[in-house]
Amino acid sequence: MKQVICINWGTKYGPPFINRLYAMVARNITPPFRFTCFTDNFAGIRPEVDCQPLPEIPVEIPKTKRGIWPKARLWGPKLGDLTGNVLFLDLDLIVTGSLDDLFSYGDPDQVILSRNPAKPFERIGQTSCFRFPVGKLAPMQEIFIANPLQVATEYVWEQRFVTRNAPGGIDLFPRDWVQHFRYQCLPTFPLNWVMAPRLKRDTRVVIFPGGVYPEVAIRGGWVGREGFTLADHLRNIPNRPEKEGSLWRYLRHFTKPAAWAAEAWRE
């Protein structure tokens, strides 16, 4: 039984993202499989999804400017009624190919993360898509519970904490299987002005860390200006928001629509 899990809290994502992720998984996996969502609200979620309450954790999850830590709930000795290996998927990723190999790759007792091209000089994994045996990360959760704010401050991102502290170390999925949209799908500037984001033939999952979500890939433009054409992008230079930073940074932040994203990111 292949087991896929996700986590949802608050109102940022909710049923549309959960239901869409289930549909993408169902189209790209060989049965039997089980899809479990750990969530604080079961309303509006399609019946095929196994909804379970958020795993309890005896500390307040720290809120920092950069890191997001609620996935720490998944690291305990128990995870609902699941046992064995689980494949975690973020709610805002796109499944573009078969997930079957992500269950059979490598040592079944090891934690296997996606590669993180944003940190090329640091061997750090990405937890937008990763596999682990239930209970394997319990020692890591104990470290976190002892002083969550200190851990969050020291490591900044939870994927760095997982990379450095997973019992027995980590492995990484093959490079092409999980692609980072901004770093690996988007053509290098200025080619991104005229070429659509590309998808490698062997890619199974495209992840969207850093605030650029699938809507941007589908509609083109950038965050806050989804649907902008290149002409719109250039006309908007005098009105660019302060958070864009320099003109050089603004000019680079553009993508043409990706047809493959629109095709895959649907219920």
Side-chain angles (χ1 to χ4, degrees):
M1 175 70 73
K2 302 178 184 74
Q3 300 181 126
V4 179
I5 67 169
C6 63
I7 187 171
N8 175 74
W9 67 92
T11 58
K12 183 176 181 179
Y13 296 108
F17 284 82
I18 299 165
N19 294 340
R20 187 186 296 113
L21 181 61
Y22 171 85
M24 289 190 291
V25 169
R27 289 194 296 270
N28 291 283
I29 199 168
T30 303
F33 76 97
R34 181 180 183 185
F35 184 99
T36 300
C37 180
F38 295 97
T39 179
D40 56 3
N41 187 352
F42 293 11
I45 299 175
R46 57 192 295 169
E48 301 95 328
V49 175
D50 167 38
C51 291
Q52 299 196 32
L54 289 173
E56 295 184 1
I57 191 168
V59 292
E60 183 178 351
I61 302 292
K63 296 180 180 179
T64 62
K65 290 183 178 180
R66 302 174 75 184
I68 301 174
W69 292 83
K71 289 181 192 175
R73 292 177 176 275
L74 306 175
W75 303 340
K78 294 183 178 181
L79 188 56
D81 63 0
L82 302 179
T83 59
N85 263 312
V86 295
L87 178 69
F88 174 85
L89 299 177
D90 268 349
L91 290 172
D92 60 356
L93 55 70
I94 301 180
V95 181
T96 61
S98 174
L99 298 173
D100 292 350
D101 289 340
L102 277 71
F103 291 92
S104 59
Y105 177 81
D107 185 339
D109 191 47
Q110 195 162 28
V111 179
I112 305 182
L113 278 61
S114 304
R115 297 171 185 268
N116 191 337
K119 299 291 178 184
F121 301 110
E122 181 181 3
R123 190 177 185 270
I124 178 173
Q126 246 294 345
T127 57
S128 293
C129 170
F130 79 113
R131 196 187 82 204
F132 64 97
V134 172
K136 177 82 173 185
L137 302 179
M140 200 174 69
Q141 191 185 63
E142 292 176 4
I143 297 172
F144 178 77
I145 288 172
N147 198 329
L149 184 57
Q150 179 179 324
V151 169
T153 301
E154 177 181 351
Y155 288 90
V156 184
W157 296 288
E158 55 88 21
Q159 58 259 34
R160 178 180 283 145
F161 180 65
V162 176
T163 301
R164 299 284 180 261
N165 293 278
I170 65 159
D171 193 4
L172 299 171
F173 285 125
R175 189 176 307 278
D176 288 352
W177 287 10
V178 183
Q179 294 281 286
H180 188 303
F181 177 75
R182 286 186 297 123
Y183 284 90
Q184 295 172 298
C185 299
L186 200 63
T188 304
F189 177 79
L191 295 179
N192 59 309
W193 282 11
V194 295
M195 295 174 59
R198 55 189 179 270
L199 185 68
K200 292 185 177 180
R201 184 174 58 183
D202 209 26
T203 301
R204 323 302 177 81
V205 174
V206 178
I207 60 176
F208 289 82
V212 177
Y213 299 119
E215 294 95 329
V216 174
I218 292 167
R219 298 182 58 196
W222 204 253
V223 180
R225 50 183 189 276
E226 291 85 352
F228 269 33
T229 64
L230 178 58
D232 295 331
H233 178 61
L234 296 176
R235 278 196 296 266
N236 193 57
I237 288 175
N239 304 314
R240 68 186 189 277
E242 290 185 7
K243 65 180 180 180
E244 289 282 358
S246 67
L247 174 61
W248 172 249
R249 179 182 172 87
Y250 173 85
L251 290 173
R252 289 186 292 117
H253 284 177
F254 176 79
T255 179
K256 293 179 70 66
W260 55 263
E263 169 59 27
W265 201 63
R266 58 182 171 83
E267 187 173 343

